[in-house]
Amino acid sequence: MNDPSLIVSTNVDGAPVRIGERVKVVSHSSDGTISAGFLGHTGVVVALVYDDPVAQYPADPLIQVRVDGLGEDLFFMDELVPEWASAPLPRPPREKKTERPVPSVWRVQ
């Protein structure tokens, strides 16, 4: 039997992540398909796996992620958050407040 799977360890144009990109595994798995040890951990994308290349290539691979101290596992894109997406947005520098003039009060009688 011929296995049609395609395992790619180089970047693929149109793939949702890049090789070497840091990603965080979601912190909760509603269906229990993610190994509990990986939940909430950050790792590095090491390969893109296309079980059915004709249907999946290039935009829908399984993503092989290596997490230090835990090993490697495969994830769907919706189970991962790219590190850039979870980083806080930079805040613009605060401008110095200028003193506002005290409003004049006019009384009408």
Side-chain angles (χ1 to χ4, degrees):
M1 186 162 150
N2 216 359
D3 183 2
S5 294
L6 176 62
I7 301 172
V8 182
S9 58
T10 58
N11 289 323
V12 173
D13 286 339
V17 291
R18 310 293 283 167
I19 301 300
E21 184 173 353
R22 293 185 58 78
V23 292
K24 184 175 182 177
V25 180
V26 295
S27 59
H28 175 72
S29 173
S30 59
D31 58 7
T33 57
I34 302 174
S35 299
F38 284 92
L39 293 172
H41 285 274
T42 299
V44 176
V45 175
V46 294
L48 305 173
V49 179
Y50 297 93
D51 291 334
D52 182 0
V54 173
Q56 294 175 299
Y57 190 86
D60 192 26
L62 284 168
I63 301 160
Q64 187 171 349
V65 176
R66 177 181 303 129
V67 176
D68 287 341
L70 293 176
E72 296 178 2
D73 206 347
L74 296 173
F75 301 93
F76 292 104
M77 188 61 212
D78 63 351
E79 297 172 332
L80 300 172
V81 177
E83 190 172 68
W84 61 264
S86 61
L89 293 174
R91 293 183 136 184
R94 285 186 128 178
E95 292 181 21
K96 279 188 172 181
K97 288 187 178 180
T98 56
E99 288 187 32
R100 291 189 212 176
V102 178
S104 300
V105 179
W106 296 85
R107 287 190 182 206
V108 179
Q109 292 184 342

